[in-house]
Structures are given as C-alpha cells and as structure tokens.
Amino acid sequence: MPRGRTPRQPARTGRQDRVARTPVRQVKSKTSAARGGGKPAGAPIPTQASVLHRKSKPKVGAASAYNSLAPDRIAEILKRLDQLYPEVTCALTHSSAWELLVATILSAQSTDVNVNRVTPELFRKYPTVEAFAALAPEQLEPDVRSTGFFRNKSKSVVGAAKKIVADFGGQVPDDMAKLLTLPGVARKTANVVLGTWFKKADGLVVDTHVHRISRRLELTTKDDPQKIEQDLMKVIPREKWILFSHQIIWHGRKLCIARKPKCVDCLLENLCHAADKTWSTVEMHKNAKA
Ligand code: SF4
C-alpha cells in the first residue's frame, strides 16, 4: 500500500469528508465525585466524545486555512506528476505540424488510438497539405469516417488545408491568432500544435481529461474550457504549461478516469479532495477541515 498508510474504506457516496468517530464512553469526573458536588445534580456527565469534541473545536478562521491553490500544494502536485509521468508527450502519431493539426482535428470526440489507426494510411494517400487542399470534403469522408463526426471533420481538414495554402504559403502558422483563423481550429487544437510541435507555451490544452481532473484537484471550479484554461494559466508556472497538459491527459487515461478513478494507485491521492474519489487516506477532507 503506498506511503505505508492504511486507507479507510470509501463511503458509499464517494465522499470521505467526516472525521473518524471515536467510540462514545461515559467518563465520570473523579474530582467532582470526591468533592461530592461541584456540579448540580442532574448536570450532564462529560463523555470522552464531548471532551474530544471540545478539544477539536475549530478555531475562528481556521476553516478558511485550506487553500486548494496554495503555491506549496500546486508545487507538490507538479512534483508528483513529474514522478508519475516524467517524459510524456502527445500520443497522436505525426511527423509534421500539418499531420499533427489533422490528427488533432480528427481526435475530437474520438480516441487517440482510433485516430492513429486512420492517419498512417491517410498521410500516405495525401502526403502534403496541398494534396488535402485539392480535395472536396466529400472525397475525404470515407477515409476519416471511423473517427466519428466525419462530415464536419472532413470540412475542417480540407478547409484548413485550403487556407494554409492560400494564406500561409503552405506552412502551418506558429501563432495562436493565425491558427484560430483556420476552420475547425479552436484554442485546444491550437495549443496542441503550438506546444507539441513548435514548443510554444501560449496556453494550456483543455480537453476532456484536463477539464475533469482540474476540477477534481480543485484547480478550477469552472466548466467552460476557456475559463478553465485561464484559471490554470494563473496557477501553473508558464514553463510547465506544455508538460502539465500532457501529464494530466495521461493521468486521465491511466488512473483518473471519468468513472471509478483508480485512487488507490494514485500518487496524488492525499492531496485530492474530489467528491467522487473511490478511495481515501485523507483523514479530513476540506469540508471537515479544522
Ligand atoms: S485521488 Fe482519485 S480522483 Fe484524485 S486525482 Fe487521483 S485518481 Fe483522480
């Protein structure tokens, strides 16, 4: 068991936010009994539980001591991600910025494995951006059908190719504003291309994994990908933006999966207060912090 601690069983609800109860046992006050008084008859006899309760009563203001965005907590999360995923990168197979752009467009609502099954033959058939630009979207549809949403994806890929040939000399631009002018390209796709191919940290990739795990780790409370990206940009050091995105995406695939995350194997576990944890060694979760 990691870190030599014996985890408590998770609650049925997935929440582990209560302090373990101490068995209640009545304790008689010897001094009071010896003095034959001190407390009026009928006064409640203090119990171990009530004593413990008094001792552990939160101090005023202590409940706000927990800060999910505290720099030392963020640093610890980053350190453990480095231990878990030291040299991860994008899992989409590619050998140029154009191939990465196409693969990223195709990966929407699909898996990288699925896309990687399609792209080798696709890039053999159409080896250049000019070859894609010469197509009508309908011609591409059969080749990308298995990635889902193939009509829209075909339109985006062919439209992007035409614009890159017409406006950018056949080269994928290494600039966020220019990338965003391409059909089918939003900040997520642009950040993948800029970070993975051009090594430029203009933002963070917010895909479904980054969305879910940033919320579980309380790095954001937002639901909108652009707002999540803004929140992450405030707390993650810029030099970590590219790697952090890849690490979180890998974490989402391997351990912090959407349904039933594998918390028992997670190195971040004792830093995590996610409501849907499946296992916990954390004695007190944020709602119970004293
Ligand atoms: S402890 Fe569980 S919910 Fe939290 S980051 Fe790890 S796998 Fe995800």
Side-chain angles (χ1 to χ4, degrees):
M1 195 60 60
R3 297 176 300 290
R5 302 187 63 174
T6 306
R8 296 184 295 120
Q9 289 290 340
R12 281 169 191 270
T13 57
R15 291 181 184 273
Q16 292 81 34
D17 54 3
R18 292 186 190 85
V19 186
R21 286 177 193 276
T22 306
V24 176
R25 183 166 61 86
Q26 286 201 330
V27 181
K28 264 194 176 176
S29 164
K30 282 185 186 172
T31 48
S32 165
R35 281 200 299 269
K39 277 190 185 295
I45 298 168
T47 63
Q48 188 177 357
S50 67
V51 170
L52 283 173
H53 179 71
R54 266 206 309 273
K55 277 186 182 169
S56 64
K57 208 171 179 181
K59 296 184 186 87
V60 176
S64 62
Y66 173 70
N67 174 10
S68 66
L69 303 179
D72 53 349
R73 180 176 185 267
I74 303 288
E76 191 59 32
I77 288 173
L78 296 177
K79 191 174 130 194
R80 296 192 198 179
L81 285 172
D82 284 347
Q83 288 168 15
L84 274 169
Y85 313 104
E87 285 176 6
V88 286
T89 186
C90 180
L92 293 166
T93 309
H94 63 279
S95 62
S96 67
W98 168 245
E99 289 189 3
L100 179 58
L101 181 64
V102 173
T104 309
I105 290 173
L106 296 181
S107 71
Q109 310 291 320
S110 186
T111 64
D112 291 352
V113 173
N114 210 7
V115 173
N116 288 341
R117 271 195 215 112
V118 167
T119 46
E121 175 57 18
L122 187 67
F123 298 139
R124 194 197 58 74
K125 201 167 165 185
Y126 308 108
T128 61
V129 64
E130 287 80 7
F132 280 91
L135 295 172
E138 299 74 36
Q139 290 175 278
L140 193 60
E141 287 177 3
D143 299 297
V144 300
R145 190 182 187 99
S146 64
T147 65
F149 300 95
F150 62 94
R151 289 199 180 88
N152 278 343
K153 288 180 182 177
S154 297
K155 261 186 221 154
S156 297
V157 170
V158 171
K162 287 184 191 299
K163 186 153 181 73
I164 287 170
V165 169
D167 295 353
F168 303 116
Q171 300 297 314
V172 175
D174 62 350
D175 176 87
M176 175 63 83
K178 288 178 183 167
L179 281 168
L180 293 178
T181 66
L182 301 175
V185 176
R187 279 195 69 89
K188 187 199 89 172
T189 301
N191 275 321
V192 170
V193 173
L194 286 174
T196 304
W197 186 262
F198 294 110
K199 311 295 178 211
K200 285 179 81 171
D202 260 37
L204 290 106
V205 177
V206 179
D207 72 344
T208 180
H209 299 298
V210 177
H211 182 140
R212 178 178 69 256
I213 298 170
S214 299
R215 288 170 58 88
R216 277 181 174 163
L217 290 175
E218 302 168 284
L219 304 179
T220 184
T221 56
K222 311 284 173 25
D223 239 339
D224 173 68
Q226 288 208 26
K227 289 181 181 162
I228 292 173
E229 187 187 356
Q230 292 298 317
D231 282 351
L232 293 177
M233 286 164 80
K234 285 180 205 146
V235 294
I236 306 296
R238 189 171 193 142
E239 66 272 17
K240 282 281 188 181
W241 286 359
I242 297 172
L243 182 60
F244 176 82
S245 302
H246 292 314
Q247 287 173 326
I248 293 291
I249 290 167
W250 279 93
H251 192 49
R253 288 195 192 112
K254 293 200 167 292
L255 294 174
C256 196
I257 48 185
R259 288 183 193 174
K260 291 200 179 175
K262 299 175 183 172
C263 305
V264 71
D265 295 324
C266 179
L267 203 54
L268 302 173
E269 189 276 317
N270 68 348
L271 296 170
C272 177
H273 301 286
D276 56 350
K277 277 173 81 174
T278 54
W279 192 264
S280 184
T281 59
V282 183
E283 288 300 320
M284 289 189 289
H285 277 234
K286 64 172 180 171
N287 293 337
K289 272 188 187 293

